[in-house]
Amino acid sequence: MWPPFSLNRPLLWVGLVGLTATLWLPDLLLRGVALTLVAVGLADAWRQVRREHLHARLGQEALALTEDGVIITDAANRILAVNPAFTRITGFSLEEVRGRNATSLAAPRHDTAFFERYWQTLQATGRWEGELWNRRKHGDEYPEWLRVRAISDASGRLSHYVCLFTDISMHKARERDLRRIGFEDPLTGLPNRRRLHDLMASRLRHLRAGESLDIALVDIDGFKAINDALGVEQGDRLLARFGQRLAHHVAGGVVGRLGGDEFMVIRTTTFDDHDKWVAGLRAHLAEPFELQGHSLRLGLTIGSCRAPEDGRESDTLFQRLESALYAAKRHGRNHSQRFRPALDVQESPQLGLVNDLRHALATGAQLELHYQGQHRLDDGSLVGWEALLRWRHPRDGLISPADFIPLAERHGLMASLGNWVIDEALACQARWRRLGMPELPVWINVSALQMFQGELESALSAGLARHGVPARLLGLEITESVLLDERAGDIAPRLEALRALGHPIAIDDFGTGYSSLSYLKRLPLDKLKLDRAFIHALPGDRADAAIVTAVLAMARGLDLEVIAEGVETEAQRDFLRAAGCDVVQGFLYARPEPAAALEARRQPPGSGALALAVADAGGGAGELDALGAG
Ligand code: C2E
Ligand code: CA
Ligand code: CA
């Protein structure tokens, strides 16, 4: 609001004094002087009036320009003025609403208690902010984000209310879409891991006397080879068909995809024929799949268990299913294994691997960080690196982090593994600075468990101090699901503190969890990383294209940079560029590579340019390529 016409102006007072003086001063000359003073005072007042007028006009122009609706009411909440955006959003012109009580625009969705709280807050604090449903002229209701301020006059008496609102119906629709994809595996449309947990828990809760749950984890043998031979697209098609066939077979049951080539099946039953049921699944899936003229017969490994005998909690059952599946895999392909308590203890083949990982951590010798560049879309320039962990197992070769990180998490090794990553990334940054390589942030992946166990902050500050690297050079990628996990405590102040230290913060795998706009608004974030599941089928897949466009629009509104990962083709890149994406990462630009390879390609010192050569788009990184495709 502009200040009212002000009497606090010396020249105005000089003019007033001059005016009184002309009335009683006897001397003509003195009267002349006084008249001049009056003229100066008048000129000053005129200037002020013009300035007020200009201010008012600027204010009006600003109101006309803004995309937000604005309503100004008097102290009794009667509408005095609205801006053009108000008319655009609601359909009402000023004439139609002038003098009406502003709350009469609200949709009849809110109860009196809501409005009581609204007025209480407004009276106590002079402001209110929140979500409110309003009704448009043509009757449909829409959600808006409303900010209200009480305005007082010079004497402190309430004179007006100013209400600013944004139509968030589009955002709401996007939020719904995003929430749906948080529960659904985008490839098959089946429930995803998170949803399967919920579904299993709910079936367990509703078990009646005499009923049991049969649960099976089905893994396709050698799927990676099929994928390599037929291409990812055909591989995806096969997974979708596989899911469909499974879902048809277990009508009334639950079928979902845990990720990769792992599917889960649950049925509620009164029969005691677990093994026969599993054999039936296998027989049904043994029929060949027709794909691109090929007839494919799949080998399956199945781990299974039965509730309540093998457990009453979905977490326990998930773990036991995995034990059973690993045990089945040890028997070679095409084998089924029902959970046995012995699998939980010493027999678990994973335990061998866990011991190996413990050993690797103790020496650090088998662990490596590989770095993948992140590139600005408008000019291709390198803007950062993501550090990706690798484990070079002496017997099994390179093991994917997607395989051993869950293992580390389950067996209490994640904190040490995470600390190793922090230290290694910082050591590398320190070395790069010494070598005169360009100063770009390295982003590390932070596991949910590192957040829960609360050692993250101390590991970070110790590492920064040890290597003398500023926090701004170490970005933190945090997966979306962590943000809503109450085990992490209230995450906002922790992120706030990390960011205050200088760490940039990104939400990883955005779109795969419970994407919620409300936390994005609340949290201190620098970037959103759009999960590669959404990039993969671009630009052909209309659903993915719509999701990506929606996320980009939403991020723009929230002033967040978006980085798309898994960009493999020029068509994907072009789509993302047109949709307004800022930064990309993917095989099209570079594969993850060991630090030594990047250092070897650095330009010789003294050549002036410090820019790093970008790895050849199709350039082979040898055996490491195999790990990229998750
Ligand atoms: P992420 O954070 O989503 O990492 C990106 C993954 O996509 C990496 O797989 C990368 O190699 C791969 N990738 C990059 N560009 C492309 C592409 O164009 N196409 C395809 N198909 N894939 C691409 P990677 O290295 O196997 O890592 C898998 C996951 O393991 C990561 O997913 C991350 O969640 C986790 N991870 C990796 N390193 C660490 C770590 O140091 N700490 C923690 N906590 N997790 C890590
Ligand atoms: Ca990541
Ligand atoms: Ca990701």
Side-chain angles (χ1 to χ4, degrees), residues 193 216-221 258-263 282 300-305 317-340 342-354 357 391 395-396 399-411:
R193 177 181 290 271
L217 205 56
V218 183
D219 183 289
I220 304 176
D221 292 337
L258 290 169
D261 53 358
E262 260 182 39
F263 291 80
R282 176 182 289 288
L300 302 176
T301 303
I302 302 180
S304 66
C305 68
L317 289 166
F318 262 80
Q319 252 172 30
R320 300 195 154 169
L321 279 166
E322 273 176 40
S323 299
L325 184 68
Y326 276 96
K329 281 188 178 172
R330 266 216 312 193
H331 277 92
R333 305 191 153 191
N334 231 3
H335 189 84
S336 306
Q337 171 77 59
R338 174 161 173 195
F339 170 78
R340 279 181 290 128
L343 296 176
D344 240 6
V345 249
Q346 83 286 11
E347 254 204 68
S348 168
Q350 290 181 64
L351 283 186
L353 212 53
V354 173
L357 187 55
W391 178 18
R395 186 189 61 236
D396 299 348
I399 303 184
S400 160
D403 291 332
F404 68 83
I405 283 177
L407 207 62
E409 289 181 335
R410 234 176 291 142
H411 290 87

Coordinates of all heavy atoms in Angstrom, one line a residue, residues 193 216-221 258-263 282 300-305 317-340 342-354 357 391 395-396 399-411:
R193 N 6.0 -51.4 -5.1 CA 6.5 -52.0 -3.8 C 5.8 -51.4 -2.6 O 5.3 -52.1 -1.7 CB 8.0 -51.8 -3.7 CG 8.6 -52.3 -2.4 CD 10.1 -51.9 -2.3 NE 10.8 -52.7 -3.2 CZ 11.4 -53.9 -3.0 NH1 11.2 -54.4 -1.8 NH2 12.1 -54.6 -3.8
A216 N 3.9 -65.1 -3.0 CA 5.0 -65.6 -3.8 C 5.8 -64.4 -4.4 O 5.1 -63.4 -4.8 CB 4.5 -66.6 -4.9
L217 N 7.1 -64.6 -4.5 CA 7.9 -63.6 -5.2 C 8.5 -64.3 -6.4 O 9.1 -65.3 -6.3 CB 9.1 -63.3 -4.2 CG 9.8 -61.9 -4.3 CD1 8.8 -60.8 -4.2 CD2 10.8 -61.8 -3.2
V218 N 8.1 -63.7 -7.6 CA 8.5 -64.4 -8.8 C 9.5 -63.6 -9.5 O 9.3 -62.4 -9.8 CB 7.2 -64.5 -9.7 CG1 7.5 -65.3 -11.0 CG2 6.1 -65.2 -9.0
D219 N 10.6 -64.2 -9.9 CA 11.7 -63.5 -10.5 C 12.0 -64.2 -11.9 O 12.1 -65.4 -11.9 CB 12.9 -63.6 -9.6 CG 14.1 -62.9 -10.1 OD1 14.8 -63.3 -11.1 OD2 14.5 -61.8 -9.5
I220 N 12.1 -63.4 -12.9 CA 12.4 -64.0 -14.3 C 13.8 -64.3 -14.4 O 14.7 -63.5 -14.2 CB 11.9 -63.1 -15.4 CG1 10.4 -62.7 -15.2 CG2 12.1 -63.7 -16.7 CD1 9.9 -61.7 -16.2
D221 N 14.1 -65.6 -14.8 CA 15.6 -65.9 -14.9 C 16.2 -65.3 -16.1 O 15.5 -65.2 -17.2 CB 15.7 -67.5 -15.1 CG 15.3 -68.2 -13.8 OD1 15.4 -67.6 -12.7 OD2 14.9 -69.4 -13.9
L258 N 7.7 -55.4 -7.9 CA 8.5 -54.8 -7.0 C 9.6 -53.9 -7.6 O 10.3 -53.2 -6.9 CB 9.2 -55.9 -6.1 CG 8.3 -56.6 -5.2 CD1 8.9 -57.8 -4.6 CD2 7.8 -55.7 -4.1
G259 N 9.8 -54.1 -8.9 CA 10.8 -53.4 -9.6 C 11.6 -54.4 -10.4 O 11.5 -55.6 -10.1
G260 N 12.3 -54.0 -11.4 CA 13.1 -54.9 -12.3 C 12.2 -56.0 -12.8 O 11.1 -55.8 -13.3
D261 N 12.6 -57.3 -12.6 CA 11.9 -58.4 -13.1 C 11.3 -59.2 -11.9 O 11.1 -60.4 -12.0 CB 12.8 -59.3 -14.0 CG 14.0 -59.7 -13.2 OD1 14.2 -59.2 -12.1 OD2 14.9 -60.4 -13.8
E262 N 11.0 -58.5 -10.8 CA 10.4 -59.2 -9.7 C 9.0 -58.8 -9.5 O 8.6 -57.6 -9.4 CB 11.2 -58.7 -8.4 CG 12.2 -59.8 -8.0 CD 12.9 -59.3 -6.7 OE1 12.3 -58.8 -5.8 OE2 14.1 -59.5 -6.6
F263 N 8.1 -59.8 -9.4 CA 6.7 -59.6 -9.2 C 6.3 -60.3 -7.9 O 6.9 -61.3 -7.5 CB 5.9 -60.2 -10.4 CG 6.1 -59.5 -11.7 CD1 7.2 -59.7 -12.4 CD2 5.2 -58.6 -12.1 CE1 7.4 -59.0 -13.6 CE2 5.3 -57.9 -13.3 CZ 6.5 -58.1 -14.0
R282 N 3.6 -71.3 -11.7 CA 4.7 -71.6 -12.6 C 4.2 -72.2 -13.9 O 4.6 -71.8 -15.0 CB 5.6 -72.6 -11.8 CG 6.8 -73.1 -12.7 CD 7.6 -74.1 -11.9 NE 8.4 -73.5 -10.9 CZ 9.4 -72.7 -11.0 NH1 9.8 -72.4 -12.3 NH2 10.1 -72.2 -10.0
L300 N 11.7 -69.4 -14.3 CA 11.3 -68.5 -13.2 C 11.9 -69.1 -11.9 O 11.9 -70.3 -11.7 CB 9.8 -68.6 -13.0 CG 8.9 -68.1 -14.2 CD1 7.5 -68.3 -13.9 CD2 9.2 -66.6 -14.5
T301 N 12.3 -68.2 -11.1 CA 12.7 -68.5 -9.7 C 11.6 -68.0 -8.8 O 11.3 -66.8 -8.9 CB 14.1 -68.0 -9.4 OG1 15.0 -68.5 -10.4 CG2 14.5 -68.4 -8.0
I302 N 11.1 -68.8 -7.9 CA 10.0 -68.3 -7.0 C 10.4 -68.6 -5.6 O 10.8 -69.7 -5.2 CB 8.7 -69.1 -7.3 CG1 8.4 -68.8 -8.8 CG2 7.6 -68.6 -6.4 CD1 7.1 -69.5 -9.3
G303 N 10.3 -67.5 -4.8 CA 10.4 -67.7 -3.3 C 9.0 -67.5 -2.7 O 8.3 -66.6 -3.2
S304 N 8.6 -68.3 -1.8 CA 7.2 -68.1 -1.3 C 7.1 -68.3 0.2 O 8.1 -68.8 0.8 CB 6.3 -69.1 -2.0 OG 6.6 -70.4 -1.6
C305 N 6.0 -67.8 0.8 CA 5.8 -68.1 2.2 C 4.3 -68.0 2.4 O 3.5 -67.7 1.5 CB 6.5 -67.1 3.1 SG 6.0 -65.5 3.0
L317 N 7.4 -60.6 6.5 CA 7.1 -61.5 5.4 C 7.9 -61.1 4.2 O 8.4 -61.9 3.4 CB 5.6 -61.4 5.1 CG 4.7 -62.1 6.2 CD1 3.3 -61.8 6.1 CD2 4.9 -63.6 6.1
F318 N 8.0 -59.8 4.0 CA 8.8 -59.3 2.8 C 10.3 -59.9 2.9 O 10.8 -60.4 2.0 CB 8.9 -57.8 2.7 CG 7.9 -57.2 1.8 CD1 6.6 -57.1 2.1 CD2 8.3 -56.8 0.5 CE1 5.7 -56.5 1.2 CE2 7.4 -56.3 -0.4 CZ 6.1 -56.1 0.0
Q319 N 10.8 -59.8 4.1 CA 12.2 -60.2 4.3 C 12.3 -61.7 4.1 O 13.2 -62.2 3.5 CB 12.6 -59.9 5.8 CG 13.6 -58.8 5.9 CD 13.8 -58.4 7.3 OE1 13.7 -59.3 8.2 NE2 14.2 -57.2 7.5
R320 N 11.3 -62.4 4.6 CA 11.3 -63.9 4.5 C 11.2 -64.3 3.0 O 11.8 -65.3 2.6 CB 10.3 -64.5 5.4 CG 10.6 -64.1 6.8 CD 9.9 -64.9 7.9 NE 10.7 -64.8 9.1 CZ 10.3 -65.2 10.3 NH1 9.2 -65.7 10.5 NH2 11.2 -65.1 11.3
L321 N 10.3 -63.6 2.3 CA 10.2 -63.9 0.9 C 11.5 -63.8 0.2 O 11.9 -64.6 -0.7 CB 9.2 -63.0 0.3 CG 7.7 -63.3 0.5 CD1 6.8 -62.2 0.1 CD2 7.3 -64.6 -0.4
E322 N 12.2 -62.7 0.5 CA 13.5 -62.5 -0.1 C 14.5 -63.6 0.2 O 15.2 -64.1 -0.6 CB 14.1 -61.1 0.2 CG 13.5 -60.1 -0.8 CD 13.9 -58.6 -0.4 OE1 15.1 -58.5 0.0 OE2 13.1 -57.7 -0.6
S323 N 14.5 -63.9 1.5 CA 15.4 -65.1 1.9 C 15.1 -66.3 1.1 O 16.0 -67.0 0.6 CB 15.2 -65.4 3.4 OG 15.5 -64.4 4.2
A324 N 13.8 -66.6 0.9 CA 13.4 -67.8 0.2 C 13.8 -67.6 -1.3 O 14.3 -68.6 -1.9 CB 11.8 -67.9 0.3
L325 N 13.6 -66.4 -1.8 CA 14.0 -66.3 -3.2 C 15.5 -66.5 -3.5 O 15.9 -67.1 -4.4 CB 13.6 -64.9 -3.7 CG 13.8 -64.6 -5.2 CD1 12.9 -65.5 -6.1 CD2 13.6 -63.1 -5.6
Y326 N 16.3 -65.9 -2.5 CA 17.7 -66.1 -2.7 C 18.1 -67.5 -2.5 O 19.0 -68.0 -3.3 CB 18.5 -65.2 -1.7 CG 18.7 -63.8 -2.2 CD1 17.8 -62.8 -1.8 CD2 19.7 -63.5 -3.0 CE1 17.9 -61.5 -2.3 CE2 19.9 -62.2 -3.5 CZ 19.0 -61.2 -3.2 OH 19.1 -59.9 -3.7
A327 N 17.4 -68.2 -1.6 CA 17.7 -69.6 -1.4 C 17.4 -70.4 -2.7 O 18.2 -71.2 -3.2 CB 16.9 -70.2 -0.3
A328 N 16.3 -70.0 -3.3 CA 15.9 -70.7 -4.6 C 16.9 -70.4 -5.7 O 17.2 -71.3 -6.5 CB 14.5 -70.2 -5.0
K329 N 17.4 -69.2 -5.7 CA 18.4 -68.8 -6.8 C 19.7 -69.6 -6.6 O 20.3 -69.9 -7.6 CB 18.7 -67.3 -6.7 CG 17.7 -66.5 -7.4 CD 18.1 -65.1 -7.5 CE 17.1 -64.2 -8.2 NZ 17.4 -62.8 -8.1
R330 N 20.0 -69.9 -5.4 CA 21.2 -70.7 -5.2 C 21.1 -72.1 -5.7 O 22.1 -72.7 -6.0 CB 21.5 -70.8 -3.7 CG 22.4 -69.7 -3.2 CD 23.3 -70.2 -2.2 NE 22.6 -70.9 -1.2 CZ 23.1 -71.3 0.0 NH1 24.3 -71.0 0.3 NH2 22.3 -72.0 0.9
H331 N 19.9 -72.6 -5.9 CA 19.7 -73.9 -6.5 C 19.8 -73.9 -8.0 O 19.6 -74.9 -8.7 CB 18.3 -74.5 -6.1 CG 18.3 -75.1 -4.8 ND1 18.0 -74.4 -3.6 CD2 18.6 -76.3 -4.4 CE1 18.0 -75.2 -2.6 NE2 18.4 -76.4 -3.0
G332 N 20.1 -72.7 -8.5 CA 20.2 -72.6 -10.0 C 18.8 -72.1 -10.5 O 17.9 -71.8 -9.7
R333 N 18.6 -72.1 -11.8 CA 17.4 -71.5 -12.3 C 16.2 -72.4 -12.2 O 16.3 -73.6 -11.9 CB 17.7 -71.3 -13.8 CG 18.9 -70.5 -14.0 CD 19.0 -70.0 -15.4 NE 19.8 -68.8 -15.3 CZ 20.0 -68.0 -16.3 NH1 19.4 -68.2 -17.5 NH2 20.7 -66.9 -16.2
N334 N 15.1 -71.7 -12.4 CA 13.8 -72.5 -12.5 C 13.5 -73.3 -11.3 O 13.1 -74.4 -11.3 CB 13.8 -73.4 -13.7 CG 12.6 -73.1 -14.6 OD1 11.8 -72.3 -14.2 ND2 12.4 -73.9 -15.6
H335 N 13.6 -72.7 -10.1 CA 13.5 -73.4 -8.9 C 12.5 -72.6 -8.0 O 12.5 -71.4 -8.0 CB 14.8 -73.6 -8.2 CG 14.8 -74.5 -7.0 ND1 14.8 -75.8 -7.1 CD2 14.6 -74.2 -5.7 CE1 14.8 -76.4 -5.9 NE2 14.6 -75.4 -5.0
S336 N 11.7 -73.3 -7.2 CA 10.9 -72.7 -6.2 C 11.3 -73.1 -4.8 O 11.8 -74.2 -4.6 CB 9.4 -73.1 -6.3 OG 9.0 -72.9 -7.7
Q337 N 11.2 -72.1 -3.9 CA 11.6 -72.4 -2.5 C 10.6 -71.8 -1.6 O 10.4 -70.5 -1.6 CB 13.0 -71.9 -2.3 CG 13.5 -71.9 -0.9 CD 13.9 -73.3 -0.4 OE1 14.8 -73.9 -1.0 NE2 13.2 -73.8 0.6
R338 N 10.0 -72.5 -0.7 CA 9.2 -71.9 0.4 C 10.1 -71.6 1.5 O 11.1 -72.2 1.8 CB 8.1 -72.9 0.8 CG 7.4 -72.3 2.0 CD 6.0 -73.0 2.2 NE 5.5 -72.4 3.5 CZ 4.5 -72.9 4.2 NH1 3.9 -74.0 3.7 NH2 4.1 -72.4 5.3
F339 N 9.7 -70.5 2.2 CA 10.6 -70.0 3.3 C 10.7 -71.1 4.4 O 9.7 -71.8 4.7 CB 9.9 -68.8 3.9 CG 10.6 -68.4 5.2 CD1 11.8 -67.7 5.3 CD2 10.0 -68.7 6.4 CE1 12.4 -67.4 6.5 CE2 10.6 -68.4 7.6 CZ 11.8 -67.7 7.6
R340 N 11.9 -71.3 4.9 CA 12.1 -72.1 6.1 C 12.8 -71.3 7.1 O 13.7 -70.6 6.8 CB 12.9 -73.4 5.7 CG 12.2 -74.5 5.0 CD 13.1 -75.6 4.7 NE 14.0 -75.3 3.6 CZ 15.3 -75.4 3.7 NH1 15.9 -75.9 4.8 NH2 16.1 -75.1 2.7
A342 N 15.2 -71.8 8.9 CA 16.6 -71.9 8.8 C 17.2 -70.9 7.9 O 18.3 -70.4 8.0 CB 17.0 -73.3 8.4
L343 N 16.4 -70.5 6.9 CA 16.9 -69.5 5.9 C 17.2 -68.2 6.5 O 18.0 -67.4 6.1 CB 15.8 -69.3 4.8 CG 15.5 -70.5 3.9 CD1 14.4 -70.1 3.0 CD2 16.7 -71.0 3.2
D344 N 16.5 -67.9 7.6 CA 16.6 -66.7 8.3 C 18.0 -66.5 8.9 O 18.5 -65.5 9.1 CB 15.6 -66.5 9.4 CG 14.7 -65.3 9.1 OD1 14.9 -64.7 8.0 OD2 13.9 -65.0 9.9
V345 N 18.5 -67.7 9.4 CA 19.8 -67.6 10.1 C 21.0 -67.9 9.2 O 21.2 -67.2 8.2 CB 19.8 -68.5 11.4 CG1 19.8 -67.7 12.6 CG2 18.6 -69.5 11.4
Q346 N 21.7 -68.9 9.5 CA 23.0 -69.0 8.9 C 22.9 -69.4 7.4 O 23.8 -69.1 6.6 CB 23.9 -70.0 9.6 CG 23.7 -71.5 9.3 CD 22.4 -72.1 9.8 OE1 21.6 -71.4 10.3 NE2 22.3 -73.4 9.8
E347 N 21.8 -69.9 6.9 CA 21.8 -70.4 5.6 C 21.7 -69.3 4.5 O 21.9 -69.5 3.3 CB 20.6 -71.4 5.4 CG 21.1 -72.8 5.3 CD 20.1 -73.7 4.6 OE1 20.0 -73.5 3.3 OE2 19.5 -74.5 5.2
S348 N 21.3 -68.1 5.0 CA 21.0 -67.1 4.0 C 22.3 -66.8 3.1 O 23.3 -66.4 3.7 CB 20.6 -65.8 4.6 OG 20.7 -64.7 3.7
P349 N 22.2 -67.0 1.8 CA 23.4 -66.8 1.0 C 23.8 -65.3 1.0 O 24.9 -65.0 0.8 CB 22.9 -67.1 -0.4 CG 21.4 -67.0 -0.3 CD 21.0 -67.2 1.0
Q350 N 22.8 -64.4 1.4 CA 23.2 -63.0 1.4 C 24.2 -62.7 2.5 O 25.0 -61.8 2.4 CB 21.9 -62.2 1.8 CG 20.9 -62.1 0.7 CD 19.8 -61.3 1.1 OE1 20.0 -60.1 1.4 NE2 18.6 -61.9 1.3
L351 N 24.1 -63.6 3.6 CA 25.0 -63.3 4.7 C 26.5 -63.3 4.3 O 27.3 -62.6 4.8 CB 24.7 -64.2 5.9 CG 23.5 -63.9 6.6 CD1 23.4 -64.8 7.9 CD2 23.5 -62.4 7.1
G352 N 26.8 -64.2 3.3 CA 28.1 -64.3 2.8 C 28.5 -63.0 2.2 O 29.6 -62.4 2.5
L353 N 27.6 -62.4 1.4 CA 27.8 -61.2 0.7 C 27.9 -60.0 1.7 O 28.8 -59.1 1.6 CB 26.7 -60.9 -0.2 CG 27.0 -60.1 -1.5 CD1 28.1 -60.8 -2.2 CD2 25.8 -60.0 -2.4
V354 N 27.1 -60.1 2.8 CA 27.2 -59.1 3.8 C 28.6 -59.1 4.5 O 29.2 -58.0 4.7 CB 26.1 -59.3 4.9 CG1 26.3 -58.3 6.0 CG2 24.7 -59.1 4.3
L357 N 31.0 -57.5 2.3 CA 30.8 -56.0 2.2 C 31.4 -55.4 3.5 O 32.1 -54.4 3.4 CB 29.3 -55.7 2.2 CG 29.0 -54.2 2.0 CD1 29.7 -53.6 0.7 CD2 27.5 -54.0 1.8
W391 N 31.1 -51.4 -6.3 CA 31.8 -52.4 -5.5 C 32.4 -53.4 -6.4 O 31.6 -54.2 -7.1 CB 30.8 -53.0 -4.5 CG 31.4 -54.1 -3.6 CD1 32.7 -54.3 -3.4 CD2 30.7 -55.1 -2.9 NE1 32.9 -55.4 -2.6 CE2 31.7 -55.9 -2.2 CE3 29.4 -55.4 -2.7 CZ2 31.3 -57.0 -1.4 CZ3 29.0 -56.4 -1.9 CH2 30.0 -57.2 -1.2
R395 N 35.3 -61.9 -6.3 CA 34.9 -63.1 -7.0 C 33.8 -62.8 -8.0 O 33.8 -63.3 -9.1 CB 34.4 -64.1 -5.9 CG 34.1 -65.5 -6.5 CD 33.4 -66.4 -5.5 NE 32.1 -65.7 -5.1 CZ 31.8 -65.4 -3.8 NH1 32.6 -65.7 -2.8 NH2 30.7 -64.9 -3.5
D396 N 32.8 -62.0 -7.6 CA 31.6 -61.8 -8.4 C 31.7 -60.6 -9.4 O 30.8 -60.3 -10.1 CB 30.4 -61.6 -7.5 CG 30.1 -62.8 -6.6 OD1 30.8 -63.8 -6.9 OD2 29.3 -62.7 -5.7
I399 N 29.5 -55.2 -8.7 CA 28.1 -55.4 -8.2 C 27.4 -54.1 -8.2 O 28.0 -53.1 -7.8 CB 28.1 -56.0 -6.8 CG1 28.9 -57.3 -6.8 CG2 26.7 -56.3 -6.3 CD1 28.9 -58.0 -5.4
S400 N 26.2 -54.1 -8.7 CA 25.4 -52.8 -8.8 C 25.0 -52.3 -7.4 O 24.6 -53.1 -6.6 CB 24.2 -53.1 -9.7 OG 23.3 -52.1 -9.4
P401 N 25.1 -51.0 -7.2 CA 24.6 -50.4 -6.0 C 23.1 -50.8 -5.7 O 22.7 -50.9 -4.6 CB 24.8 -48.9 -6.1 CG 25.0 -48.7 -7.6 CD 25.5 -50.0 -8.2
A402 N 22.4 -51.0 -6.8 CA 21.0 -51.3 -6.6 C 20.9 -52.7 -5.9 O 19.8 -53.0 -5.3 CB 20.3 -51.4 -8.0
D403 N 21.9 -53.5 -6.0 CA 21.9 -54.8 -5.3 C 22.5 -54.7 -3.9 O 21.9 -55.3 -3.0 CB 22.7 -55.8 -6.1 CG 21.9 -56.2 -7.4 OD1 20.7 -56.1 -7.4 OD2 22.6 -56.5 -8.4
F404 N 23.6 -54.0 -3.7 CA 24.2 -54.1 -2.4 C 23.8 -53.0 -1.4 O 23.9 -53.2 -0.2 CB 25.7 -54.2 -2.5 CG 26.5 -53.0 -3.0 CD1 26.8 -52.0 -2.1 CD2 26.9 -52.9 -4.3 CE1 27.5 -50.9 -2.5 CE2 27.6 -51.8 -4.7 CZ 27.8 -50.8 -3.9
I405 N 23.2 -51.9 -1.9 CA 22.8 -50.9 -1.0 C 21.6 -51.3 -0.1 O 21.7 -51.2 1.1 CB 22.6 -49.5 -1.7 CG1 24.0 -48.9 -1.9 CG2 21.7 -48.6 -0.9 CD1 24.0 -47.7 -2.7
P406 N 20.6 -52.0 -0.7 CA 19.6 -52.5 0.1 C 20.1 -53.5 1.2 O 19.6 -53.6 2.3 CB 18.6 -53.2 -0.8 CG 18.9 -52.6 -2.2 CD 20.3 -52.2 -2.1
L407 N 21.1 -54.3 0.8 CA 21.7 -55.2 1.7 C 22.4 -54.5 2.8 O 22.2 -54.9 4.0 CB 22.8 -56.0 0.9 CG 23.1 -57.4 1.3 CD1 21.9 -58.3 1.2 CD2 24.2 -58.0 0.4
A408 N 23.1 -53.5 2.5 CA 23.8 -52.7 3.5 C 22.8 -52.1 4.5 O 23.0 -52.0 5.7 CB 24.7 -51.6 2.9
E409 N 21.7 -51.6 3.9 CA 20.7 -51.0 4.7 C 20.0 -52.0 5.7 O 19.8 -51.7 6.9 CB 19.6 -50.4 3.9 CG 20.0 -49.2 3.1 CD 19.0 -48.5 2.2 OE1 18.0 -49.2 1.8 OE2 19.1 -47.3 1.9
R410 N 19.8 -53.2 5.2 CA 19.1 -54.2 6.0 C 20.1 -54.7 7.1 O 19.6 -55.1 8.2 CB 18.7 -55.4 5.1 CG 17.2 -55.6 5.3 CD 16.7 -56.7 4.4 NE 16.7 -56.3 3.0 CZ 17.1 -57.1 2.0 NH1 17.5 -58.3 2.2 NH2 17.0 -56.6 0.8
H411 N 21.4 -54.7 6.9 CA 22.3 -55.3 7.9 C 23.1 -54.2 8.6 O 24.2 -54.5 9.1 CB 23.2 -56.3 7.2 CG 22.4 -57.5 6.7 ND1 21.7 -57.6 5.5 CD2 22.1 -58.7 7.4 CE1 21.1 -58.7 5.4 NE2 21.3 -59.4 6.5

